[in-house]
Amino acid sequence: MNSDWQRALAALLLATGLGAGLAGFAPELHETGLIPRPRPVAETELVYSIVNLTEDMDARTACPLDLAAARARIEAGLRAHALKPVFSPIAEGPGVLTQEVAAQPISAGDATVCGWTASVSLNGRRGPLRRDREGQSYSSLEAASRDVEPLLSGPVR
């Protein structure tokens, strides 16, 4: 009985040592071709569009949407979920993430500061309304983009 435990323990230690050795030398083994290189995880593409819902023309004039900055923030939020964002200014419908934004001008002395709100919708489901953090324009767009995971996994309405 004692020898069975000793053999099992020796086999476990040998397997652990072999596994650790292979893991430690994996880069060298990849270079020699003895073990295949791991394939990168394929990102799922997600088409998205941005809709500016700012109704007040004075607010639109005071706070024009910087599309490049907005896209950068949205794409940073989507990449947090290993999604490959694909922007389309005219896409809509099932499978298209719609990022709805609205500007709210805030007077700060002589200057006007723009605060943005954003929410996402996908397949008939809507994420929560997000607001910019103080002093960080378009942070609401990134925060709303991070809300997309529950919308991807839920049922289509």
Side-chain angles (χ1 to χ4, degrees):
M1 179 90 154
N2 223 2
S3 64
D4 289 339
W5 281 100
Q6 290 172 348
R7 279 186 260 168
L9 183 60
L12 179 63
L13 291 173
L14 181 65
T16 302
L18 183 62
L22 285 175
F25 290 106
E28 289 83 5
L29 294 173
H30 288 305
E31 289 176 16
T32 62
L34 290 175
I35 58 173
R37 293 188 183 276
R39 293 185 189 154
V41 176
E43 292 181 322
T44 303
E45 285 189 351
L46 180 63
V47 176
Y48 75 95
S49 64
I50 303 171
V51 178
N52 188 349
L53 298 178
T54 307
E55 294 179 4
D56 182 19
M57 290 309 288
D58 292 334
R60 275 188 183 252
T61 303
C63 301
L65 178 63
D66 181 352
L67 195 57
R71 287 182 55 192
R73 287 293 204 143
I74 291 168
E75 291 177 7
L78 293 176
R79 285 195 181 101
H81 298 293
L83 295 169
K84 182 178 180 184
V86 178
F87 176 70
S88 173
I90 60 172
E92 63 179 84
V96 176
L97 177 75
T98 303
Q99 182 79 260
E100 298 173 346
V101 299
Q104 298 171 336
I106 303 163
S107 296
D110 294 335
T112 299
V113 177
C114 298
W116 293 88
T117 58
S119 68
V120 292
S121 63
L122 179 68
N123 296 331
R125 300 183 67 192
R126 181 171 300 286
L129 183 68
R130 300 293 183 177
R131 298 186 187 286
D132 276 353
R133 290 185 298 255
E134 190 173 327
Q136 296 181 4
S137 288
Y138 303 116
S139 61
S140 59
L141 281 75
E142 184 172 345
S145 295
R146 292 178 187 270
D147 295 331
V148 78
E149 191 167 3
L151 303 179
L152 289 170
S153 60
V156 178
R157 284 196 271 168

